[in-house]
Amino acid sequence: MARAFTPKVVTANDLLEGDVIYQTEDDSWSRDLSEAELITDEAHAQVRLLDAARQANKIVGAYLADAIAGDKGPEPTHFREDFRRTGPSNYAHGKQETSPQPRV
Amino acid sequence: MYRYSEFDTAFLAERNAQFRAQVERRIDGSLTEDEFKPLRLMNGLYLQLHAYMLRVAVPYGTLSSAQMRQLALLAEKWDKGYGHFTTRQNIQYNWPKLNDVPDMLDALAEVGMHAIQTSGNTIRNVTADHFAGAAADEVADPRPYAELLRQWSTDHPEFQFMPRKFKIAITGSENDRAVIKAHDIGLQLVERDGVLGARVIVGGGLGRTPMIGKELSEFVAFDDLLAYLEATVSVWNQIGRRDNKYKARIKITVHEHGIDAIRAKVNERFLQVRPQFKGADMNLLEEIKGHFAAPAFREASVASFESAYTNDPVFRSWVDTNIAPHKNADHAIVTISIKKHGQTPGDATAEQMRVMADLAEEFAYDELRISHEQNVILPHVHKSDLPAIHAKLKEHELATANIGLISDIIACPGMDYCALATARSIPVAQEIATRFEDLKLEHDIGHLKIKISGCINACGHHHVGHIGILGLDRAGVENYQITLGGDATETAAVGDRTGPGFAYDEIVPAVERIVEAYLDLRDSAEETFLETYRRVGMAPFKAVLYPEARANAA
């Protein structure tokens, strides 16, 4: 039996900046995971991933990442995605510099 | 120091112009990412977790002060004010923007540097003993040969699309500081009947299948060596496995075919290849050797050094730990630790790079080295200059006396930066260093090498650490496996796994228990951790790591 679909967000890296970005419902890209579109339907997820892949001159390496609904929007379920939305732990660089992303 | 010829300069300018055009075509949409990716990787540009990463080659780890200053400029102008020195003697910039990379490469070319073949399935930056040309124990300086290999391997038409990457290391000493037995090819310069040549080791490597290299030939004279290496890489290029990325490295080829069969194939291929080498390479080597002539070592009294050594305990501790013997008795080799307790191993700020460049220019015949252990070396220093160097280093947090000690940790970037990582390494290194600094035990523990990788690819050399730590993702949680008894030197060995791994918050206490056990078990303060481990074996360390297992068995 296929595994049950778990909620996802579409994420990628920005072509020019290289930083982590998330697809929003209005089809733009946000630097903030909490603004991402949380996708709960598998077919819709595939459509949104295709939407992202078509923007090859803006983004790199789009994929579906697991996320769950939190108080302020989607939150990561895996520590890798937690690092991606925050930045490295040895310096306050990356997204920590611009918009605080407290690690839970 | 190698100075670029007109050919080198023109080649690099053309290559950089090509890459600039490729970046433009990627940005205007003419190239897809699938088309662009192999092109950027050929020029050292990765896309990591949070940003692009540019990996710049420091060929055989040698830099001039002008080059070091340029690395500082890149860090300041196009990055976040620092660079990360790696276990392949490269420097990585963690935050460049795609648009800026062509300018960064042009700036590097101004000082004869590049990022070519720091990635991809090519022959990578050739690494060398970081004490080359200075060590008291070497047969010859291996760097001229390393430079010859750089020129031979760069854009070599036969070796651009190999089964996998290929790494070569070279040393001129019996004491192996270049980890030659963990490379695809390791070369040890040896002299036989007055002829200089190399012992050739093949099929070593770390990663998911760690192997200690085997001897392919005990001696190949220099005038045959390039043909012999070409034959070796060529045999692997032909029969190495392309069906499975994890079985593609030459270590697997050697393992599957056996060293004797590989030797026979190499010898056969060598006979075909040899006539193509008509001596031009040897003429070139002679010319390159001129670039690496030893400086005219100055003569002066060492009295000021001796007086500082006697009177200043902080200086004495630094000398005892960070200074190695030089082939000229009045000189010394200085290893500058860029691993102050709690700092990221291998990171140097732009300001620190400039300070080290200034010291090299003023006191060290304008030479610096990067070690695979992620430190910076002033290879030639007159002993009378050591107090002044130490004083300057202290002002810039570069005077930590910890070389070869427990806080002199190799750590890969891990999950903090690397897209391949499965767990963090940097914070583990930071916490181990800080913990043992707090305990004030470091100098009592003595020679102990901890090496940490954040994934199975083993950039942090964990297999050959006296204590190796491997970070993994176990069901969505960071988990750290420990190996003991690894050795990166001429007595190379792959460490043994202790057993089940430890959670992130358990790994530092686990290391502490291992070290406490060692302090209890050692014969005397002179017996190193590795010697003790080899004498007593795994059992007593397992007992302290997994006390519950013993309780359950009882």
Side-chain angles (χ1 to χ4, degrees):
Chain A
M1 202 179 81
R3 286 172 69 178
F5 181 77
T6 51
K8 302 277 191 292
V9 294
V10 175
T11 181
N13 289 75
D14 182 83
L15 174 66
L16 295 178
E17 300 284 315
D19 62 340
V20 174
I21 50 177
Y22 303 95
Q23 196 179 40
T24 61
E25 262 178 77
D26 64 1
D27 223 16
S28 66
W29 293 90
S30 169
R31 259 75 193 170
D32 192 340
L33 173 59
S34 66
E35 292 174 5
E37 175 186 4
L38 188 68
I39 306 166
T40 51
D41 176 76
E42 186 163 13
H44 184 57
Q46 292 306 325
V47 169
R48 297 298 282 145
L49 188 58
L50 285 172
D51 289 342
R54 273 195 288 274
Q55 303 174 46
N57 57 347
K58 273 201 284 191
I59 65 152
V60 185
Y63 66 94
L64 294 167
D66 277 313
I68 47 164
D71 294 342
K72 292 176 184 162
E75 286 185 5
T77 61
H78 189 278
F79 63 91
R80 186 177 193 271
E81 291 304 324
D82 199 6
F83 282 114
R84 286 184 79 243
R85 73 150 175 178
T86 314
S89 52
N90 60 332
Y91 305 115
H93 287 159
K95 293 185 186 300
Q96 300 160 106
E97 281 176 303
T98 44
S99 58
Q101 303 275 325
R103 194 167 285 136
V104 194
Chain B
M1 191 78 69
Y2 182 69
R3 292 171 303 280
Y4 271 21
S5 65
E6 279 175 32
F7 173 84
D8 293 314
T9 308
F11 169 79
L12 199 50
E14 190 188 341
R15 179 74 178 246
N16 286 348
Q18 285 169 357
F19 187 61
R20 184 178 290 276
Q22 289 156 0
V23 169
E24 282 167 11
R25 295 208 298 282
R26 174 68 183 102
I27 292 172
D28 74 17
S30 330
L31 288 177
T32 65
E33 185 62 19
D34 285 348
E35 290 163 334
F36 180 63
K37 188 177 175 183
L39 300 171
R40 68 169 159 80
L41 289 176
M42 281 162 80
N43 292 285
L45 186 64
Y46 286 73
L47 182 58
Q48 296 285 30
L49 271 194
H50 316 291
Y52 287 99
M53 180 272 279
L54 181 67
R55 181 184 290 158
V56 177
V58 180
Y60 34 89
T62 296
L63 288 171
S64 66
S65 62
Q67 290 173 323
M68 186 63 120
R69 284 194 194 99
Q70 197 76 341
L71 295 180
L73 178 105
L74 262 75
E76 230 161 44
K77 192 166 174 184
W78 292 295
D79 207 89
K80 292 190 188 289
Y82 74 100
H84 176 74
F85 291 105
T86 78
T87 53
R88 285 205 64 71
Q89 301 179 313
N90 297 311
I91 182 170
Q92 294 181 175
Y93 294 100
N94 287 325
W95 302 96
K97 309 270 188 278
L98 182 57
N99 261 325
D100 291 334
V101 174
D103 292 340
M104 294 172 83
L105 294 178
D106 283 347
L108 288 168
E110 286 172 17
V111 291
M113 295 183 76
H114 61 71
I116 297 169
Q117 289 180 208
T118 58
S119 175
N121 295 336
T122 56
I123 298 178
R124 301 288 188 89
N125 182 33
V126 175
T127 52
D129 179 1
H130 41 267
F131 291 171
D137 57 6
E138 90 183 355
V139 174
D141 186 342
R143 291 173 304 153
Y145 213 90
E147 172 59 26
L148 184 68
L149 292 176
R150 186 188 71 84
Q151 297 189 18
W152 162 75
S153 63
T154 301
D155 250 11
H156 190 304
E158 189 180 339
F159 302 144
Q160 293 302 303
F161 294 95
M162 299 201 292
R164 200 76 177 84
K165 58 191 166 184
F166 200 88
K167 298 177 179 177
I168 302 176
I170 184 165
T171 177
S173 303
E174 175 85 37
N175 297 316
D176 179 12
R177 289 172 290 261
V179 209
I180 63 169
K181 288 183 176 170
H183 279 77
D184 295 291
I185 286 182
L187 299 172
Q188 179 196 342
L189 301 192
V190 281
E191 198 179 286
R192 184 185 274 186
D193 305 325
V195 176
L196 209 51
R199 176 180 176 226
V200 180
I201 310 286
V202 73
L206 301 174
R208 76 178 55 217
T209 319
M211 302 240 184
I212 299 300
K214 299 174 181 73
E215 190 176 89
L216 186 64
S217 174
E218 58 178 343
F219 182 82
V220 180
F222 264 3
D223 51 6
D224 274 339
L225 187 55
L226 212 49
Y228 192 79
L229 295 178
E230 182 148 310
T232 309
V233 182
S234 171
V235 163
W236 168 70
N237 198 19
Q238 200 160 38
I239 66 171
R241 289 180 58 173
R242 286 177 154 85
D243 61 316
N244 182 340
K245 173 180 175 182
Y246 303 120
K247 294 182 189 288
R249 297 285 289 268
I250 197 173
K251 63 188 172 186
I252 305 292
T253 316
V254 171
H255 181 71
E256 288 183 349
H257 291 256
I259 185 73
D260 294 330
I262 295 293
R263 189 181 296 115
K265 283 180 191 294
V266 167
N267 288 342
E268 194 185 327
R269 178 79 185 147
F270 172 64
L271 293 178
Q272 292 170 343
V273 165
R274 192 187 196 186
Q276 297 166 15
F277 289 80
K278 299 190 173 76
D281 55 324
M282 284 300 97
N283 296 338
L284 187 55
L285 181 64
E286 280 313 306
E287 190 201 315
I288 294 170
K289 273 184 188 167
H291 296 236
F292 291 92
F297 295 119
R298 74 184 182 89
E299 289 180 27
S301 160
V302 296
S304 59
F305 161 72
E306 277 158 5
S307 137
Y309 186 82
T310 310
N311 299 319
D312 178 352
V314 177
F315 175 70
R316 183 162 62 240
S317 165
W318 178 75
V319 168
D320 289 345
T321 312
N322 293 35
I323 302 303
H326 193 278
K327 63 184 180 186
N328 176 305
D330 290 346
H331 280 66
I333 303 172
V334 175
T335 301
I336 301 170
S337 170
I338 44 175
K339 298 181 192 168
K340 184 176 188 288
H341 302 100
Q343 296 298 307
T344 303
D347 279 8
T349 65
E351 179 204 291
Q352 287 176 325
M353 289 184 217
R354 288 201 183 96
V355 167
M356 294 187 281
D358 290 347
L359 288 173
E361 188 174 18
E362 188 174 354
F363 298 114
Y365 307 88
D366 209 38
E367 260 200 59
L368 298 127
R369 305 287 172 76
I370 308 306
S371 75
H372 80 270
E373 297 182 308
Q374 301 178 285
N375 288 307
V376 179
I377 285 135
L378 300 173
H380 313 294
V381 171
H382 192 273
K383 284 181 178 170
S384 64
D385 293 325
L386 288 172
I389 289 172
H390 181 246
K392 188 79 179 169
L393 291 174
K394 268 203 295 195
E395 289 170 21
H396 299 275
E397 304 200 323
L398 289 167
T400 310
N402 64 346
I403 298 305
L405 303 181
I406 195 167
S407 63
D408 184 10
I409 298 171
I410 288 184
C412 73
M415 182 69 92
D416 287 305
Y417 297 90
C418 179
L420 299 174
T422 44
R424 284 172 291 172
S425 346
I426 290 169
V428 176
Q430 290 173 310
E431 283 170 36
I432 292 172
T434 311
R435 178 65 185 146
F436 284 91
E437 169 72 357
D438 290 345
L439 294 171
K440 294 288 166 213
L441 269 179
E442 177 156 72
H443 288 266
D444 186 29
I445 296 162
H447 189 66
L448 174 53
K449 304 219 168 185
I450 296 185
K451 301 181 198 282
I452 308 174
S453 305
C455 84
I456 199 157
N457 294 311
C459 295
H461 293 194
H462 65 277
H463 297 294
V464 292
H466 300 162
I467 298 176
I469 299 173
L470 166 63
L472 295 169
D473 173 352
R474 283 273 179 268
V477 180
E478 287 166 296
N479 188 273
Y480 295 85
Q481 285 181 358
I482 298 178
T483 49
L484 299 178
D487 178 356
T489 70
E490 62 283 359
T491 47
V494 171
D496 309 308
R497 225 180 103 188
T498 57
F502 296 84
Y504 180 78
D505 56 1
E506 291 173 352
I507 183 65
V508 179
V511 170
E512 198 175 329
R513 292 207 294 285
I514 293 169
V515 173
E516 281 167 1
Y518 154 65
L519 292 174
D520 286 343
L521 289 162
R522 69 182 178 188
D523 269 344
S524 69
E526 276 68 53
E527 190 181 59
T528 64
F529 176 85
L530 188 60
E531 288 163 351
T532 301
Y533 177 77
R534 284 179 173 163
R535 179 171 58 80
V536 304
M538 177 68 84
F541 294 102
K542 265 194 163 169
V544 297
L545 282 175
Y546 310 103
E548 65 284 357
R550 206 164 62 150
N552 293 343

